[in-house]
Amino acid sequence: MRLSQRVQSLPPYLFAEIERKVAARRAAGVDIISLGIGDPDMPTPPHIVAALQCAAADPANHQYPSNRGSEAFRDAVAGYYRRRFNVDVDPETEVIPLLGAKEGVAHVCLALLDQRDVCLAADPGYPVYTSGPLLADGAAVPLPLRPELGFQPDLDDIEPSVLAKAKMMFVSYPNNPTGAVIEDDFFARVVTFAREHDIAVIHDNAYADITFDGYVAPSFLQAPGAREVGVEFFSLSKSYNMTGWRAGAIVGSPELVDAFWRLKTNMDSGMFGAVQAATIEALSGPQDSVGEMCRVYQRRRDLLVGALRRIGLRAPTPKGTIYLWVPVPEGYTSGSFAGLVLEQADVIVSPGAAYGPSGEGYVRLSLTVPDARLEEAVHRIEERVHL
Ligand SMILES: Cc1ncc(COP(=O)(O)O)c(C=O)c1O
């Protein structure tokens, strides 16, 4: 079979070596705890599940939905944006459903890039920021997130030859994998930069509600002029423990929302009506579970940060997301340190290099394992990892 260049050019799967070691140890009966994957362990709140159950029994939802989403879905997203961010969104022209933010990240590249056009991709970043442009026959150029700038990019330090070819950029705060949040006028500066260089901005707001210590994350659309230069992806995966449901929305620039809709009418047949009903309930119903979940993650964060510091690591305390982003000790690469933790403690952590060249020198630990397992992982790291 002759596979496309496109598929063959996809980067190798960087967890392959770790997965091989994990499989060998599990086969030998070893109990491995994975802090490698960001998939919430807590269930979807019951009122959201009930909304799905009820809507699934309605024959009206057994037929093809519209790719635009129901009026009630778009109104619910607009209502959420008004209450949560104080942003007015036109439900007619500025919102449509996404089957999760990941789908949006991959497909929006097809709406914006032609051959060899450049996408500036936050580095380190969610891996689809680089594979999405590749699948669209474009090119992803890393946009390094600078530790000294609180893991923001330096927008004044991009090669003019790259800028000339750049048509889009991916940014995301609260940030995976660094846990960084926006503290200043960054989004306003991004809008100015995007206008100046005619670059479409995609702000991936997958962790909008997962924040700690009183920090409240903004929307990109709060920045003046944002909807003229870009869109935001909102996801229900992390805010409402709905990773398996594939629910989100693209919100912002009517021009890009319309282009994305035209593209999607050729790719999928919309979001299942019962999932739309559950999304409406999640966004419009009681929000107590969001705060409770953040309190759980914050407690886990403090537990893990404490243990890592006690073994001598410089673990920062993130104000958002479900990750710790920790510099590895001197003499290690991100891969060799992840290998050491696996061998000595039977705990999986993700090597930072899997998130881009600027991720070298770090590991990412996820807070999405039940408390008892996290406590066991902490105990093992403290007892067994010798630096
Ligand atoms: C930054 C970022 N964007 C998008 C996603 C995927 O979100 P969804 O489940 O809505 O596809 C993730 C998942 O981990 C993520 O970390």
Side-chain angles (χ1 to χ4, degrees), residues 100-102 126 129 172 176 204 206-207 235 237-238 246 323:
K102 184 178 198 172
Y126 184 54
Y129 299 160
S172 178
N176 173 16
D204 179 1
Y207 297 90
S235 166
S237 287
K238 307 289 162 39
R246 316 312 305 132
Y323 309 109

